[in-house]
Structures are given as C-alpha cells and as structure tokens.
Amino acid sequence: MTSKDAQSTVPTVLLRSDGEVDGETLAYARTKIDAIVGRPGLPAATGEVRITRAAAHHADRPWSATAALHVGKREVVVLAEAATGRELVDQLQDRMRRQTDKAARPGHHGHHTSAPPWRGGSPTPRPKEGSARTAEAHPA
C-alpha cells in the first residue's frame, strides 16, 4: 500500500489551534480525534476541530474546543472547556464519541408519535406487529 492509498482511507478532520497551544496537546488531540472518527462501522467523517487557549491568565478555564463534523449525512457539533489542555482533549473525546455514536445509528432519532385524531390520526392505538390483537378486537 502506498502512502497515497493510506491517506485516502484516513478520515478528513482538520485540527486547528488559536492562541498558545503547545505541540504536545495538539499531538494528543490528533491521536484522540483519529481514534474516534476512524472507528470501524462509523460513516465517513469530515470537518474541523479547533482548540483555543485564552491569553488571559486569570481565566478559570482558558482552554476551549469546538468540533464541527459531518458524520455520514448528519452534522455533529461538540463544545468543551477545561482548565488544562489534557483535560480539554479528554472531555472533547468523550463528547465526540457520544455524538458520533448517535449520528451513526440508523433510523429516526426522536420519538415519533402518531398524529392526534383532529389531525387525521387514528383515534385508537395501532396494535404492534406480531401482536395477537387485531384492529377488529378493539372496542368501538
């Protein structure tokens, strides 16, 4: 396998930084991000992760991160703030994993209820598939 082939299979998630972000934090973040978006079974992920370190030394949580990703056909946005760079990356990893797992699940993500009778829905609940009860068994 050539290096060109290896690059084409790697997900395209850019990592950017603002402020005084050290190389060690960026390398740690790159490792964690690649582990999340490169998981088997996850649709192709593209987007950007931005890590920022505030210049104000008096800030409680000077580190912040924003991830804007497209996982398959869904958009995932993750925000995180922390006191240190390593804490920030760990928090970002947890949130990204949770959100990308949700985005990768097939089907409808919300609760879908039937329409009420005044909007054209059925006045009686529908029996579930495989249920012994039929529509004729419901009292009128």
Side-chain angles (χ1 to χ4, degrees):
M1 179 163 66
T2 65
S3 62
K4 182 179 179 184
D5 293 334
Q7 289 177 353
S8 65
T9 61
V10 175
T12 313
V13 176
L14 299 173
L15 177 62
R16 299 181 186 246
S17 64
D18 290 332
E20 296 179 19
V21 179
D22 56 301
E24 182 180 321
T25 302
L26 288 175
Y28 184 63
R30 179 84 263 168
T31 302
K32 297 294 185 173
I33 291 166
D34 288 344
I36 292 167
V37 298
R39 292 188 322 257
L42 191 70
T46 59
E48 178 180 285
V49 176
R50 185 175 297 271
I51 296 177
T52 305
R53 184 174 181 190
H57 299 289
H58 63 280
D60 291 336
R61 294 184 288 182
W63 292 85
S64 64
T66 305
L69 307 174
H70 292 280
V71 179
K73 294 182 179 182
R74 302 193 187 270
E75 188 170 351
V76 174
V77 177
V78 180
L79 305 172
E81 289 183 341
T84 67
R86 189 165 283 269
E87 284 178 29
L88 175 75
V89 172
D90 290 340
Q91 188 180 84
L92 182 68
Q93 179 192 18
D94 291 341
R95 292 179 180 182
M96 282 179 64
R97 180 175 302 276
R98 198 167 37 246
Q99 293 297 324
T100 54
D101 285 348
K102 280 183 181 180
R105 278 190 226 133
H108 188 67
H109 294 296
H111 296 286
H112 184 70
T113 59
S114 59
W118 59 88
R119 290 204 174 167
S122 172
T124 58
R126 295 182 193 167
K128 294 182 182 179
E129 281 187 38
S131 173
R133 300 178 81 189
T134 62
E136 292 132 13
H138 290 284

